């Protein structure tokens, strides 16, 4: 098993965080994992992205030429990555701010209005966590518990209330998808 | 019979290779005497430069590590940070300190590294045969400024004490010369003060010594001493540029 | 049992260095290795006797390392390609003065300022000494975050053992990537007090220098260093073999390129092609005997580098005409995909079949 995912969006939308927590969760579940962020001038103010590979064997290359999953939080990300997704792969898109739909055929598209859902929960900044709820449900790689535990580790000494709103956001995304 | 002069114990006793009338020999002896008087021979580490004084470790009977050209203050920084209770000094010429190593000098000074620099300014590159130095005076003839240093083509002499005394990290900066017995005694006092400040943890100290180079100046030793009085010290005035007695003592 | 942590490559190096007893770090910011000085600033200064200096230049950094090393500290600096060029004066000096120290190069595209993407263009510079004069440096080429940790610790041991600079040669991708790591417990330092300069005390004064004006003495010093390099060549080569047992074709690649090669080999698992990997872990000394042994049963070698072909020359020297050597390279900061390399291998095999 080898699953490669790309998380992409504006700087500040929390895409690197999503990938990091996902990678951490996969590691604590016992998988091999690599996390590769885009770096340098290209992420200054523009689109940030990271690639996470999860496998039950040694991961040769941390790069995803044909990612199984792409999470696009903004429109430029959709343009950039839709044609790279593997056949039968899945595109998660933030339907709150992405108005266009992929022209690419032969992939699954999961639309999550994570921006609106986060607003409803009470903090627009947790929209990435809403998206991850849906992502974890769809990929089924590990349980919500593991994700929340990894989020806690990665966020370090953040306040209980911050963890709580993230938990609510995560479950909202998780329950949004009926699988 | 009363002994009035002896070789400092922190010098090895090898005969200096320096030219007759060169200021290095005097500067070496003064540093040696200060090390003896402060009784720090066992805990001093010297960093000689590339230049005429590259073989200083043949004369000093103290621990010494050579620095690459201009890097003395960086090497001294590394030593001092690891061994803060040792007395660390670099010994540098004008090309070494003010040209190729100006960045290392400037920033060691600006960081307030608790080290001492003995800066020999003789206004030429001595070892390589008398080329123009950053401190060559205007109109001074060298092998690379044959008609004399020209501001348009060669820029101006670099005034190291003036430059460094403006930095927050420096504590004690003095310019001296060794062209007369009185000036030699003053220079020794300055070197001693610089080392004392370091021992007290006060920060960066530098003593610039205007030093005769009869060979490359194409003068007799006596003429060289006069030239320092008449010309060189007009460009590089002697005196204390900074003395922060109250400088905060580092733990 | 030490815990498994998910950590970025640059930070892994810094953490491993601190654990290995590195107490002096000087460096100058340059992408893609900035997390090393940042981590050191944050963590090395908290440790008793730990010094971090953001130096005024790469040149100053390496000379600070020289001073710290002479004074007895385990010392390190890091940079990326253009900055490593600046450090060469000091690296040459460390070799001459037999001072230990670790220099990390997270390579980026070159020559010149190049770019900040991962590259392997500094192989020649690293393995041929890099600075002036007759010397070598041990060069370690990690390919995983775990190796970044293990080899960083090893780099300090080797630097002490052979009293000289050791280069860690990785690239921007290795530096930026996160992978799980378990930090092993480092070996205690084994470095003789006599080599440390700390003031003469009551005893004889010491000199550390590379200036040896008498050519006969200088020659003797050169031969002494050379004997050391010969010993290193005989005893310190490291490499990894992957699916090489029954391979018909061997890919030779190091670092990031070796990871890509593994990915390509996996993709070709069911293709009927028998492809293996030879991965040098020490680039100098290059594991030439081990590669040569492979040539006794394999005659087809494909060198793959993120450069126009530098390690290629060492492979040629090692195989000495006993096998066919081909090359695929992507310089300039391109990180090729396993799929691309797999296609290259298939095409290569097709052409070889035509030859037969």
């Amino acid at each position: 098993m080898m699953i490669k995912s790309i998380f992409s969006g504006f700087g500040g939308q929390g895409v690197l965080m999503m990938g990091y927590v996902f990678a951490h969760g996969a590691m604590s579940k016992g998988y091999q994992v690599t996390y590769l962020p885009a770096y340098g001038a290209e992420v200054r103010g523009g689109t940030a992205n990271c690639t996470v590979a999860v496998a039950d064997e040694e991961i040769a290359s941390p790069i995803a030429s044909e990612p199984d999953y792409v999470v696009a939080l903004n429109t430029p990300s959709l343009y950039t990555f839709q044609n790279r997704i593997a056949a039968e792969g899945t595109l998660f898109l933030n339907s709150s701010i992405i108005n266009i739909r992929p022209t690419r055929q032969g992939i699954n598209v999961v639309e999550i209005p994570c921006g609106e859902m986060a607003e409803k929960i009470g903090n627009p900044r947790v929209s990435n966590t809403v998206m991850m709820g849906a992502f974890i449900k769809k990929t089924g790689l590990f349980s919500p518990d593991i994700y929340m535990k990894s989020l806690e580790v990665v966020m370090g000494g953040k306040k209980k209330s911050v963890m709580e709103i993230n938990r609510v956001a995560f479950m909202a995304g998780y329950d949004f998808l009926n699988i | 019979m009363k002994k009035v002069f002896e070789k400092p114990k922190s010098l090895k006793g090898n005969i200096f290779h320096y030219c007759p009338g060169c200021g290095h020999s005097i500067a070496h002896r003064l540093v040696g005497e200060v090390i003896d008087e402060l009784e720090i021979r066992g805990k001093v580490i010297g960093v000689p430069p590339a230049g005429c004084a590259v073989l200083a470790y043949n004369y000093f009977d103290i621990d010494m590590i050579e620095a690459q050209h201009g890097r003395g203050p960086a090497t001294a920084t590394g030593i001092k940070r690891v061994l803060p209770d040792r007395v660390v000094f670099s010994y540098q010429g004008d090309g070494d300190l003010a040209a190729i190593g100006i960045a290392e000098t400037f920033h060691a000074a600006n960081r307030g590294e608790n080290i001492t620099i003995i800066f020999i300014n003789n206004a030429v590159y001595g070892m390589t045969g008398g080329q123009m130095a950053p401190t060559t005076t205007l109109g001074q003839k060298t092998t690379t400024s044959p008609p004399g240093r020209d501001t348009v083509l060669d820029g101006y002499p670099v005034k190291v004490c003036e430059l460094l005394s403006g930095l927050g990290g420096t504590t004690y900066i003095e310019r001296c010369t060794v062209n007369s017995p009185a000036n030699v005694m003053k220079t020794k006092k300055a070197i001693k003060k610089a080392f004392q400040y370091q021992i007290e943890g006060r920060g960066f100290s530098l003593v610039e010594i205007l030093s005769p180079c009869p060979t490359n100046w194409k003068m007799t030793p006596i003429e060289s001493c006069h030239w320092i009085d008449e010309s060189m010290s007009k460009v590089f005035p002697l005196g204390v540029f900074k003395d922060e007695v109250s400088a905060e003592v580092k733990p | 049992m030490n815990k498994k942590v998910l950590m970025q490559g640059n930070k892994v190096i810094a953490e491993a260095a601190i654990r290995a007893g590195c107490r002096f770090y000087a460096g100058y910011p340059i992408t893609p290795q900035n997390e090393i000085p940042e981590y050191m600033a944050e963590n090395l200064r908290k440790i008793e006797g730990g010094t971090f200096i953001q130096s005024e230049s790469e040149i100053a950094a390496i000379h600070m390392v020289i001073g710290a090393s002479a004074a007895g500290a385990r010392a390190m600096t890091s940079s990326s390609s253009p900055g490593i060029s600046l450090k060469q004066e000091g690296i040459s000096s460390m070799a001459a003065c037999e001072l230990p120290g670790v220099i990390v190069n997270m390579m980026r595209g070159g020559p010149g300022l190049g770019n900040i993407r991962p590259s392997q263009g500094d192989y020649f510079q690293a393995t041929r000494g890099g600075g002036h004069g007759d010397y070598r440096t041990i060069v370690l080429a990690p390919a995983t975050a775990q190796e970044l940790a293990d080899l960083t610790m090893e780099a300090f041991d080797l630097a002490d053992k052979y009293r000289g600079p050791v280069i860690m040669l990785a690239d921007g991708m290795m530096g930026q990537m996160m992978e799980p790591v378990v930090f092993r417990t480092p070996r205690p330092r084994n470095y003789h007090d006599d080599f440390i300069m700390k003031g003469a005390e009551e005893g004889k004064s010491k000199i550390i220098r590379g200036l040896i004006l008498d050519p006969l003495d200088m020659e003797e010093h050169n031969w002494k260093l050379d004997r050391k390099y010969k010993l290193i060549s005989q005893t310190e080569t490291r490499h990894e073999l992957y699916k090489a047992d029954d391979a018909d074709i061997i890919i030779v690649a190091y670092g990031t390129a070796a990871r890509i090669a593994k990915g390509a080999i996996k993709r070709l698992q069911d293709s009927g092609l028998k492809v293996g990997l030879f991965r040098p872990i020490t680039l100098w000394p290059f594991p030439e005997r081990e590669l040569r042994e492979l040539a006794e049963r394999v005659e087809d070698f494909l060198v793959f580098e993120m450069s126009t072909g530098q390690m290629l020359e060492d492979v040629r020297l090692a195989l000495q005409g006993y096998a066919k050597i081909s090359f695929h390279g992507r310089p300039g900061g391109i990180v090729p995909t396993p799929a691309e390399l797999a296609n290259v291998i298939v095409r290569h095999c097709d052409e070889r079949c035509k030859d037969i």
Side-chain angles (χ1 to χ4, degrees):
Chain A
M1 175 273 260
M2 168 81 68
I3 292 170
K4 291 190 176 178
S5 311
I6 290 176
F7 301 86
S8 182
F10 291 123
Q13 279 187 307
V15 288
L16 299 185
M17 189 67 154
M18 294 162 84
Y20 182 17
V21 178
F22 174 56
H24 193 277
M27 177 185 77
S28 48
K29 174 83 179 170
Y31 289 115
Q32 301 279 342
V33 55
T34 62
Y35 165 95
L36 183 67
Y39 63 90
E42 66 177 286
V43 297
R44 301 269 180 271
T47 293
N49 71 77
C50 62
T51 304
V52 178
V54 176
D56 53 9
E57 57 181 321
E58 185 184 355
I59 299 166
S61 170
I63 293 163
S65 42
E66 296 167 354
D68 304 281
Y69 299 104
V70 168
V71 176
L73 292 190
N74 66 359
T75 309
S77 304
L78 179 69
Y79 285 128
T80 306
F81 293 113
Q82 62 168 332
N83 290 323
R84 271 173 57 182
I85 300 173
E88 304 299 314
T90 302
L91 171 72
F92 293 80
L93 66 85
N94 174 7
S95 57
S96 302
I97 63 166
I98 303 177
N99 297 320
I100 59 151
R101 289 298 171 262
T103 50
R104 167 79 191 275
Q105 301 297 308
I107 56 168
N108 307 305
V109 179
V110 177
E111 299 179 18
I112 310 289
C114 55
E116 286 149 20
M117 291 169 71
E119 296 259 4
K120 235 180 261 170
I121 290 161
N123 187 344
R125 291 180 60 191
V126 297
S127 74
N128 62 339
T129 308
V130 174
M131 180 59 94
M132 284 312 289
F135 181 84
I136 293 296
K137 178 120 178 217
K138 176 83 179 165
T139 56
L141 272 174
F142 49 80
S143 67
D145 283 356
I146 290 182
Y147 189 88
M148 291 314 296
K149 210 163 175 194
S150 287
L151 185 66
E152 208 170 338
V153 173
V154 168
M155 298 221 305
K158 282 277 164 64
K159 276 187 294 192
K160 272 222 160 75
S161 59
V162 177
M163 281 309 299
E164 181 53 25
I165 195 167
N166 271 286
R167 198 190 59 76
V168 172
F170 183 88
M171 290 318 295
Y174 195 83
D175 295 335
F176 184 81
L177 280 191
N178 292 314
I179 300 172
Chain B
M1 210 202 306
K2 193 179 162 216
K3 194 188 265 184
V4 292
F5 185 83
E6 70 177 326
K7 175 188 77 65
K9 289 191 179 59
S10 51
L11 290 185
K12 280 173 177 158
N14 294 332
I15 294 165
F16 291 128
H17 71 281
Y18 300 112
C19 306
C22 171
H24 274 304
S25 313
I26 302 171
H28 279 24
R29 172 171 62 81
L30 296 181
V31 171
E33 284 176 359
V34 166
I35 290 171
D36 283 2
E37 286 169 23
L38 294 172
E39 298 181 335
I40 52 172
R41 187 251 167 200
K43 59 176 214 166
V44 69
I45 298 173
V47 184
C52 284
V54 70
L55 293 172
Y57 45 64
N58 285 349
Y59 311 119
F60 283 100
D61 189 17
I62 59 171
D63 275 9
M64 288 198 120
I65 173 170
E66 82 178 8
Q68 297 294 299
H69 198 22
R71 317 300 174 219
T75 305
T77 294
I79 298 167
K80 184 72 181 187
R81 292 288 189 111
V82 173
L83 300 170
D85 62 342
R86 304 307 196 278
V87 180
V88 181
F89 75 95
S90 72
Y91 185 104
Q92 301 176 258
D94 40 51
D96 190 90
L97 181 142
I100 199 166
I102 189 72
E104 286 79 1
T105 304
F106 184 95
H107 288 280
N110 192 50
R111 284 192 304 270
E113 295 294 342
N114 190 24
I115 58 172
T116 301
I117 294 182
I118 307 298
F119 168 35
I120 306 296
N121 178 2
N122 60 14
V124 283
Y125 281 70
M127 192 173 70
T128 48
Q131 294 84 3
M132 186 180 69
T135 52
T136 294
T137 58
L138 296 180
Q140 187 185 341
K141 288 182 177 163
T142 71
T143 58
T144 50
S145 58
R149 185 173 194 165
D150 175 338
T151 55
V152 175
L153 298 171
D154 309 313
Y156 295 83
V158 175
K159 300 180 180 188
V160 170
C161 290
E162 288 83 341
L163 179 71
L164 298 187
S165 54
L167 299 177
T170 56
T171 302
Y172 175 61
I173 309 269
E174 180 167 352
R175 184 181 287 129
C176 318
T177 180
V178 287
N179 69 343
S180 70
N183 280 331
V184 168
M185 295 315 289
K186 267 193 193 165
T187 302
K188 181 176 168 184
K189 247 179 87 184
I191 295 171
K192 193 165 184 178
K193 196 164 173 182
F195 277 108
Q196 264 165 338
Y197 275 28
Q198 182 184 159
I199 291 164
E200 289 161 13
R202 294 182 188 277
F204 185 91
S205 53
L206 178 141
V207 178
E208 174 174 344
I209 303 171
L210 304 185
S211 177
C213 181
T215 303
N216 287 303
W217 293 355
K218 305 197 186 330
M219 296 177 192
T220 66
I222 304 276
E223 285 165 353
S224 299
C225 291
H226 288 150
W227 191 73
I228 289 177
D229 272 340
E230 288 150 16
S231 277
M232 198 179 174
S233 59
K234 300 287 186 291
V235 182
F236 301 108
L238 305 179
V240 177
F241 286 80
K242 192 163 186 181
D243 184 359
E244 299 213 329
V245 183
S246 61
E248 200 184 318
V249 175
K250 286 185 184 173
Chain C
M1 176 63 188
N2 292 330
K3 222 176 92 192
K4 189 194 271 186
V5 289
L6 184 62
M7 212 168 177
Q8 190 198 36
N10 283 331
K11 292 179 183 171
V12 169
I13 292 176
E15 176 62 27
I18 292 172
R19 286 174 188 242
C22 174
R23 290 297 173 267
F24 186 93
Y25 174 94
Y28 185 89
I30 180 172
T31 307
Q33 61 83 55
N34 294 315
E35 293 79 8
I36 300 178
E38 285 168 4
Y39 194 93
M40 287 301 195
E42 175 84 24
N43 296 288
L44 188 53
R45 281 178 171 171
K46 286 183 194 156
I47 291 174
E48 203 193 327
T51 299
F52 163 84
I53 300 179
Q54 178 168 331
S55 57
E56 60 272 26
S57 69
E58 310 286 3
I59 301 173
I62 189 76
H63 291 279
M64 289 175 186
V65 163
I66 287 175
S69 170
R74 279 197 151 172
M76 178 172 112
T77 183
S78 65
S79 190
S80 181
S81 308
I84 296 295
S85 295
L86 287 171
K87 290 187 198 294
Q88 294 302 336
E89 174 191 62
I91 296 172
S92 166
S93 179
M94 288 168 84
C97 297
E98 298 192 81
L99 290 169
V102 174
I103 299 106
V104 178
N105 180 1
M106 304 309 269
M107 288 183 282
R108 57 187 246 182
L113 275 183
N115 59 28
I116 58 169
R117 309 303 309 168
S119 175
Q120 296 184 326
D122 303 351
Y123 181 94
F124 282 152
Q125 183 193 54
T127 58
R128 269 61 181 167
H132 65 281
D134 215 343
Y135 75 98
R136 297 286 193 167
T137 52
I138 295 176
V139 183
L140 304 175
T144 61
Q146 187 60 53
E147 271 191 353
L148 287 176
D150 296 342
L151 292 178
T152 298
M153 289 183 181
E154 182 140 13
F156 282 100
D157 291 343
L158 288 168
D160 284 346
K161 186 173 175 186
Y162 296 106
R163 296 173 59 208
V166 173
I167 312 281
M168 288 280 290
L169 193 70
D171 61 55
M173 195 183 88
M174 294 297 309
Q176 295 298 320
M177 184 174 67
M178 279 193 193
E179 258 186 324
V181 178
V182 179
F183 289 99
R184 68 171 167 81
T185 308
R187 285 181 282 271
R189 190 179 192 195
N190 183 9
Y191 191 64
H192 204 287
D193 212 43
D194 283 355
F195 301 139
I196 299 172
M197 174 165 277
K198 46 191 167 188
E201 306 289 349
E202 300 307 312
K204 215 170 154 270
S205 59
K206 244 198 275 293
I207 299 168
I208 295 178
R209 57 160 182 183
L211 182 83
I212 304 172
L213 293 173
D214 183 324
L216 280 175
D217 291 344
M218 187 71 228
E219 183 187 27
E220 197 182 309
H221 185 58
N222 277 138
W223 287 125
K224 180 193 164 198
L225 294 178
D226 184 63
R227 283 192 293 278
K228 178 162 83 176
Y229 300 142
K230 287 212 166 70
L231 178 66
I232 295 170
S233 301
Q234 282 157 14
T235 53
E236 301 294 353
T237 57
R238 293 167 183 40
H239 72 288
E240 183 201 0
L241 287 170
Y242 176 73
K243 293 190 189 294
D245 284 349
D246 61 343
D248 294 327
I249 171 169
I250 291 288
I251 313 295
V252 188
Y254 71 94
T256 292
R259 291 184 76 111
I260 296 163
K262 272 192 186 176
I265 291 167
K266 280 184 184 166
R267 281 173 170 257
L268 295 171
Q269 251 166 180
D270 305 320
S271 69
L273 296 173
K274 288 179 179 168
V275 190
L277 172 72
F278 183 92
R279 176 171 75 92
I281 297 171
T282 51
L283 301 182
W284 193 87
F286 190 77
E288 53 181 22
R289 281 184 310 278
E290 296 84 348
L291 187 63
R292 179 69 198 283
E293 277 165 25
L294 262 185
E296 285 168 15
R297 54 189 173 80
V298 182
E299 56 180 31
D300 195 1
F301 289 78
L302 175 66
V303 180
F304 169 53
E305 294 176 74
M306 282 148 62
S307 75
T308 53
Q310 300 190 14
M311 183 175 68
L312 175 62
E313 293 192 2
D314 279 337
V315 174
R316 283 185 183 138
L317 286 169
L319 297 181
Q320 297 173 15
Y322 283 93
K324 273 205 260 174
I325 302 167
S326 316
F327 176 73
H328 180 67
R330 292 300 302 269
I334 297 285
V335 182
T337 61
E340 172 186 328
L341 184 62
N343 288 338
V344 169
I345 296 168
V346 169
R347 212 164 51 234
H348 170 84
C349 291
D350 286 349
E351 278 164 25
R352 192 191 52 180
C353 291
K354 263 188 267 166
D355 291 348
I356 299 165

